[in-house]
Structure formats: C-alpha cells, structure tokens
Amino acid sequence: MDKSRNLPRRTAFAMAAALAGSLILTACGSGASDTVGVSLILKTLSNPYFVSMQSDAQKAATAQKVNLTVAAGKTDGDTQTQITAIDNAISRGDQGILITTNGDAVNTELQKARKAGIFVIALDTVPTPPSTVDVTYATDNEQAGKLIGQYAATKLNGAKAVIAMLDLFNNQVVSVDTSRDHGFLEGMGIDPGNKTQNGQEAKAGRYTGGKGGDYTIACHQPTTGAIPGGKTAMENCLSANGDINVVYTINEPAADGALQALKAANKKNVLVLTIDGSCKYVNGLVKSGDIAADSAQYPGKMASVGVQAIAALARGGKKPALPAGRNFIDTGTALVTANPLPGVTSQTPADAAKACWGS
Amino acid sequence: MAVEEILRPRPTIGRQVHGVLHRMPALSPLVILVVACVVFTVANPRFVRPENLSILLQQAAVVGSLAVGQTLVILTAGIDLSVGAIMVMATLVMGKLATSGTPSALAFGIGFVLAVFAALVNGLLVTRIKLPPFIVTLGTLSIFTAITLIYAHGQTMSLPSGTFLTWTGATISFGRFELTIGVIMMLLLYAGFAYALRQTAWGRHLYATGDDPEAARLAGVRTGRVLLSAYVVAGAVFGIAAWILVGRINGADPNAGLNANLESITAVVIGGTSLFGGRGAVVGSLIGALIVQVFENGLALMRIDPNYQVLAVGVLVIAAVAADQWIRRVKT
C-alpha cells in the first residue's frame, strides 16, 4: 500500500487552520472607511500601456486621498474577470469605477453598477453604445489611425501602395482594433467599406490621400498585439506578396515583430506605421526611423483625470460634461516621426519623449 | 463485443493498416501533412517557395520545441498546462538580466535553471504529493504567469542581435532556403529524444510507466523517479524553447506564450501520442506542430479567413484522438 496517498492528520489540520485563518483575515480586511473608493479595472497587466494607467491612477489616488483597488483581465478579451471585478466594486460600495473594457460582455454589469449608484468612467475606448457608461476619457483611436494614414499617403508621393494590415484579432470584434484599422484607411483615403468589421475595404483601387495613387491590400493578419504575433503575421504577408511597401500595425510590439520579419527578408524602404507612443519605442525604433510614424497616446493622463473626476464628484462636485457632438472626452493624440513631412503636423521623438508612457 | 465478432477474421487490408499504424503512430499525421502541403501548393504555388518553407520552420520552432517536453509528460499519462508560462517566465528573466548588464550567457543560464526548477516543482507536486498533473499545472500556470508579470511589469524587452542569447535567431542560408539556429536546435531536440525514448533504458521505463505504472513497478521500474525525471527533463527542454523564442523575436514579450500551453498539447495530440500515456512517438509531435503552422500559413496565402485554420485544427484534434482509439482497440 502506498501510504503517502493519505494526508497525515497533522498536515490536514494545519491546512484547515490556515484556510480558516485566511477567511477571518479577509473578513476583517473589509472594514468601511469614509474615504472615496475607486475601482480601476484594466484590460490586462501584461501591457505597459495599462501598467502606466495603474501607476498614474495610483499617484492621483494618493494625492486625492482615494482608496484605489486595481483589477485586470488575464488576457486581452477576458471579460469574465472584469465582470467579477465590477461585482466586487458594487459589494465594496465603491463610489466610482474606471474601466478599459475587454468587450461588450461587461455592459450589463456596468449598468448594474450604475443602478447601484456608482459613477462609471470608461478609459481608452468608448464602449458600444457610449451610453453604457457615465463618461469616457479616451484617445480618438480613429484619429490616431488617420494621422499615420495621412503620413503614409503623403510620404508615398503618388507611388503605388501595397499595404499589409496587421490587426489585433481576427476572431473577435474589438473597437480599438476596428477604429485604428479604419482610421488608417481613411487617412490613406480608402473607404473601409464597413463600420464594424475589418477587411471589408475594396482589395484594390485608388487612394486619395497625399497626391493619390493606386493601392492593393496585400493582407489582413491578426497579431494579438505582441512581438511574436507581429513577426509571424508579417512573414505570412510577405510570403503572399513580396512587394509590400506600407505596413499598418495595431501597436508597437506588433510593429517591432513586423520590422524583424522585414529585416530578415531584407526588405528596405517599407513604411511601418503604428500607434502607442511608449517611451521605449519613441526613444528607440521611432527615433531611429525604423518605425516611420507613431501616433502617441496618453494612457496615464486618462487614468489620473478619471480618478480626479470621481474624487471631485464624491465630494460634492459636478459631473464631467461631454464636449458638444462627441461621445468622449479626448485626452489627445499626436503624430511622432523622425522624418517630418511638409504639410503634416508632427512632433520629433525628442519632444514626444517628454510626455511618453512606460519606462 | 460479442464472441463471434472477436473470432471473425478482420479484412486483411484493414488489419494491415491497423498493424502499421499501431507500430508507427506518427504515420497518419505525416499523411495529413503531405496532403495539406500538396493542396496548399496547388492553391498558391508561393507556398512551396524555399523562402516560405524556411519561414514555416521558423514559425514552428518555438511550439515544436515545447512539444518535445510536452510529449515526455504526456507519455507518462500526465499533462503540462504550464509549459508556455514556464517558457515565457524564462525568456523575461533572460531578457531583463541581459538588458540590465548581465553577460548574455549567464542570463541564459539563470533563465534555463529557472525553467528546470519550475518544472521540478510541477514534478514534485505530482510524484510526492500525488496530485493530478492537470490540477498541478493548472495552478502553476497561474503562478508562473503572475510571477512573470510582477517581475516584468508587462514590459517587452529588446535585445541586440549577435549576442549569445539571440544567437538562436542567427540564420544559415542554403541558397534561398534559410535555417535559423533555433530551427536546427529544435530538430536536434527531436533527434536526441527520438533516440533516447527508443534506445535507452530511461526511454523504455518512461513508456512502461505511462502505459501501466503498476506493472512497471512490479517489473522493477522506479516509477516515481521516472515520472519526476520526465518533468525535469521537459523543464530543460522548455529552457531551450525560451532561448529559441528570445532569438526569434530578439527580445522578450510577456504576451508571447499565451496560447503556447494549448498549442503544444495540440501538436502532441495531432502527432498521434496518446493522452492515456505509454503510446506515441516524439517525432509525431514535430509533424503535429508543422501541420498547425502549415494550415495557418497556407490559409493566409489563400487569403482565407484565419478562423478556418482554428476550425481545421479542432477537427484534426478530434480526428487524431478518434484514430488513436481505433488503433488501440485491438492489440496486434
């Protein structure tokens, strides 16, 4: 007989005691306090973009004497963990929720939170419909896409564009994915062909941005917003069409991977465009010109402004108001490039580095 | 099964096919791989260009290496859900140490040891505390992922090419066909383990333990040690996989291995290794990993919605397990 199958009684007792102890501790930890409680619910913590939201929110919370609780999805698109975090915020009696949603699946829960009297602010992306939340602080992802699209069209100077589109997903629709993709196409002067889906534009035709010219779309590939995904996607695009000269990428890690694939294939003079504006890439691949243009965003600003708004509201202040004709409060975006073009407003990497995020 | 059914002789062709497959479980996935390659070549001749075939191997190198370790664990009738997490944890430790001035080779060494240690933890929980491997690795998957994110703050690291750590990304050209050091390492891993599993006492013991641990124990195999060794050796393989990944992306990305856990299991299953333990060949896992990559790449070249690739892989997994059940049905 194998004796080790039966846990020794002492071990079992110790385990039970530990379990009971931890339960008592959690029960004691939830004491009420008169400070303002805010829940920050992020997409993931595996992306410095959201990590910088966390650190700036923390700073703002300390300054405003706010109790901040942070939660995050395990992966991009993980709505279940976010729903649980919203429930926890309701149970805790928080006054506000700041959320970068992983998808529309959290909407019902957010409505529940608002019914419970919690002020809900979306960060980074406007939920569908926008009325799901009280207010949104976001970057205009479509505008960010437009800026790099316009840059690319101007830079082409009438030449034929063979375009690779390196998106985020192909198996779920996420607004940041479609807004950036469509914004880029609009900036190039190409009709996206559909409001809510990627890859519905005409596969060949004329682009009207810059001097205008012919274009073909070589591919739409998912990258999951990570370096390996970007590299694999670019490799597959190059296998399908070796003449690619314009590469749109959903974010900087995807651009990083794409550049590595281009380098391995000895492709030069390819315009790689992206959106993010992190210190690492602004001071790196953007500064060196490998990334032709990058639309910078300011995630930390969204989070800290959100914390301040809830703190003000909880202490008797006014609700933040939306600007006329917009469904979110824009925290800004700016085109960063090492090679400025006449007629295109842009910042140098050195200027952008003053307001970049991450370390 | 009725008695007369057992007594009735099987049709000879069926029995022959059955016998061949029983001896060589990697054969049916090989047929699928060849057919898929032919179909994709007809659909788009670019598929068979040497540049594209080079890329295919490079894309398969990381999951292919992980699948070697995963095969060892699955042969013992276990499963490791934490392989991707172990690998990514090792890559970030390697990357962070190297970017903060640690010599490249030492950074690799520390990351490698960490991968072995992580796998040792899995192995000890399975063999000493007698917890089911599925549960153990489900838990450590979360633990290792969390450690990685806490350690790296979600940051990606970039490393210069040409260092010891990124050497696995260096290429050797044969005309238009290119192999990276990483691909060669993966192939060497397969060759080494194909030999070790077939020709050494350790390999035989691993099969015996996976097939029937009680019988193996009675035959004098120290099954606990064999089990533990499978996890630890797999950990060493994951350390090598981490090195290959660092070379492929010249850096480390905490989001790199999100799907690698299941992708490695998929490769092993499609490759004809049985989840019930004790049957299968490590080379099958290479074919399995290549099939998945060929579908992704081939469909991308055909401009077909990549969701169909996911669909195809799902069908292949079911078909592979069904085939395994059929092959197992009668011991020839």
Side-chain angles (χ1 to χ4, degrees):
Chain A
M1 259 310 286
D2 189 355
K3 274 219 169 61
S4 58
R5 271 189 188 284
N6 308 321
L7 277 177
R9 201 174 303 172
R10 229 182 316 173
T11 319
F13 179 75
M15 279 184 180
L19 193 66
S22 60
L23 285 174
I24 291 163
L25 273 181
T26 38
C28 292
S30 56
S33 68
D34 50 2
T35 49
V36 179
V38 174
S39 276
L40 173 65
I41 303 168
L42 298 166
K43 265 189 206 250
T44 66
L45 283 175
S46 57
N47 181 334
Y49 187 82
F50 301 114
V51 174
S52 77
M53 275 191 185
Q54 181 191 6
S55 58
D56 282 31
Q58 216 98 46
K59 280 181 205 139
T62 311
Q64 302 279 339
K65 298 204 168 39
V66 164
N67 260 344
L68 187 75
T69 312
V70 182
K74 290 186 180 67
T75 56
D76 242 318
D78 169 14
T79 48
Q80 281 310 312
T81 308
Q82 293 198 315
I83 288 169
T84 308
I86 298 165
D87 284 340
N88 293 345
I90 299 171
S91 310
R92 247 195 323 268
D94 283 347
Q95 279 88 342
I97 290 178
L98 303 165
I99 182 164
T100 56
T101 72
N102 267 329
D104 298 344
V106 302
N107 291 1
T108 315
E109 224 58 24
L110 287 174
Q111 297 288 10
K112 205 160 100 186
R114 287 175 71 187
K115 281 201 187 79
I118 299 178
F119 193 74
V120 178
I121 297 179
L123 301 177
D124 190 43
T125 31
V126 185
T128 0
S131 60
T132 307
V133 294
D134 287 295
V135 68
T136 302
Y137 290 102
T139 319
D140 191 337
N141 277 312
E142 202 170 342
Q143 178 61 19
K146 260 190 194 140
L147 292 177
I148 51 175
Q150 285 161 349
Y151 180 91
T154 310
K155 180 86 184 163
L156 282 166
N157 202 13
K160 183 176 191 310
V162 183
I163 306 168
M165 302 290 290
L166 304 195
D167 293 318
L168 183 61
F169 294 128
N170 55 357
N171 54 0
Q172 52 178 319
V173 175
V174 184
S175 64
V176 61
D177 200 9
T178 45
S179 305
R180 290 181 179 189
D181 174 297
H182 292 186
F184 170 79
L185 290 170
E186 287 158 6
M188 284 283 298
I190 299 168
D191 178 11
N194 181 304
K195 283 249 177 294
T196 53
Q197 274 189 327
N198 285 341
Q200 303 299 306
E201 67 281 349
K203 290 289 165 258
R206 302 269 308 165
Y207 67 91
T208 56
K211 283 194 175 166
D214 292 335
Y215 80 86
T216 53
I217 303 286
C219 63
H220 271 271
Q221 284 282 306
T223 63
T224 67
I227 304 175
K231 187 168 183 185
T232 299
M234 191 73 236
E235 285 168 341
N236 289 340
C237 288
L238 284 172
S239 276
N241 190 330
D243 303 326
I244 290 166
N245 61 353
V246 176
V247 180
Y248 153 84
T249 59
I250 176 85
N251 69 356
E252 288 165 345
D256 190 336
L259 279 164
Q260 297 194 34
L262 288 163
K263 196 173 158 190
N266 280 322
K267 299 285 178 192
K268 295 192 175 64
N269 305 322
V270 177
L271 287 175
V272 176
L273 308 135
T274 195
I275 297 169
D276 258 347
S278 77
C279 300
K280 183 186 164 189
Y281 286 97
V282 164
N283 291 321
L285 291 170
V286 180
K287 195 172 168 180
S288 65
D290 291 294
I291 292 175
D294 183 355
S295 285
Q297 304 193 322
Y298 309 100
K301 189 170 159 190
M302 298 172 204
S304 51
V305 172
V307 170
Q308 285 156 6
I310 292 171
L313 189 68
R315 292 177 179 133
K318 279 209 301 269
K319 287 187 181 179
L322 287 173
R326 299 303 288 272
N327 54 19
F328 64 94
I329 299 169
D330 192 351
T331 51
T333 181
L335 186 77
V336 186
T337 176
N339 303 301
L341 298 174
V344 181
T345 312
S346 67
Q347 292 182 343
T348 62
D351 282 341
K354 290 172 194 152
C356 64
W357 49 268
S359 47
Chain B
M1 202 182 273
V3 173
E4 55 269 35
E5 243 184 308
I6 297 172
L7 294 177
R8 195 186 308 145
R10 288 169 148 274
T12 41
I13 299 237
R15 185 191 281 191
Q16 275 173 340
V17 171
H18 191 279
V20 169
L21 287 177
H22 197 85
R23 283 192 300 277
M24 290 190 282
L27 204 64
S28 46
L30 185 62
V31 172
I32 293 173
L33 179 63
V34 172
V35 170
C37 287
V38 171
V39 170
F40 286 127
T41 305
V42 171
N44 186 344
R46 283 173 164 272
F47 175 83
V48 84
R49 287 165 90 183
E51 292 90 341
N52 192 52
L53 296 178
S54 314
I55 291 287
L56 265 174
L57 282 169
Q58 289 171 36
Q59 290 176 347
V62 174
V63 170
S65 314
L66 283 178
V68 175
Q70 187 69 264
T71 309
L72 297 177
V73 175
I74 288 180
L75 280 176
T76 69
I79 196 151
D80 193 337
L81 301 174
S82 68
V83 298
I86 292 177
M87 171 183 73
V88 172
M89 182 166 71
T91 57
L92 278 149
V93 169
M94 290 174 190
K96 197 164 176 177
L97 288 172
T99 46
S100 57
T102 311
S104 198
L106 181 64
F108 164 74
I110 293 170
F112 178 81
V113 169
L114 184 72
V116 174
F117 177 75
L120 175 69
V121 170
N122 281 341
L124 286 173
L125 288 169
V126 170
T127 56
R128 296 282 188 276
I129 320 275
K130 303 277 189 241
L131 300 174
F134 186 94
I135 305 295
V136 168
T137 55
L138 190 64
T140 53
L141 163 63
S142 298
I143 294 168
F144 299 148
T145 305
I147 289 173
T148 304
L149 293 180
I150 292 165
Y151 179 72
H153 303 295
Q155 289 275 25
T156 55
M157 326 264 168
S158 296
L159 297 164
S161 48
T163 63
F164 179 80
L165 256 183
T166 47
W167 176 65
T168 50
T171 50
I172 299 170
S173 300
F174 302 89
R176 287 161 58 198
F177 187 76
E178 269 191 348
L179 285 179
T180 59
I181 300 291
V183 171
I184 294 167
M185 271 186 197
M186 171 190 73
L187 296 174
L188 287 175
L189 280 175
Y190 275 103
F193 279 99
Y195 174 83
L197 286 169
R198 286 269 160 237
Q199 307 293 335
T200 68
W202 175 75
R204 301 251 170 226
H205 289 175
L206 198 74
Y207 273 101
T209 305
D211 199 27
D212 188 342
E214 195 53 21
R217 203 178 55 78
L218 292 170
V221 177
R222 304 176 74 166
T223 49
R225 279 194 182 194
V226 171
L227 265 181
L228 187 58
S229 74
Y231 282 89
V232 174
V233 173
V237 175
F238 304 149
I240 300 291
W243 193 14
I244 296 172
L245 176 59
V246 169
R248 172 152 168 82
I249 63 173
N250 283 311
D253 183 338
N255 296 301
L258 285 179
N259 306 320
N261 304 306
L262 291 176
E263 281 170 354
S264 71
I265 296 169
T266 304
V268 176
V269 170
I270 293 179
T273 294
S274 167
L275 284 172
F276 304 104
R279 277 188 61 269
V282 73
V283 176
S285 305
L286 172 62
I287 298 165
L290 286 173
I291 286 176
V292 174
Q293 220 59 59
V294 160
F295 268 80
E296 185 180 315
N297 172 274
L299 292 171
L301 291 186
M302 287 168 71
R303 285 179 168 257
I304 290 178
D305 183 344
N307 281 325
Y308 287 99
Q309 181 243 338
V310 181
L311 184 84
V313 168
V315 171
L316 284 172
V317 168
I318 305 287
V321 178
D324 176 57
Q325 290 287 45
W326 175 71
I327 294 163
R328 271 180 171 255
R329 206 164 44 189
V330 181
K331 294 265 196 232
T332 39

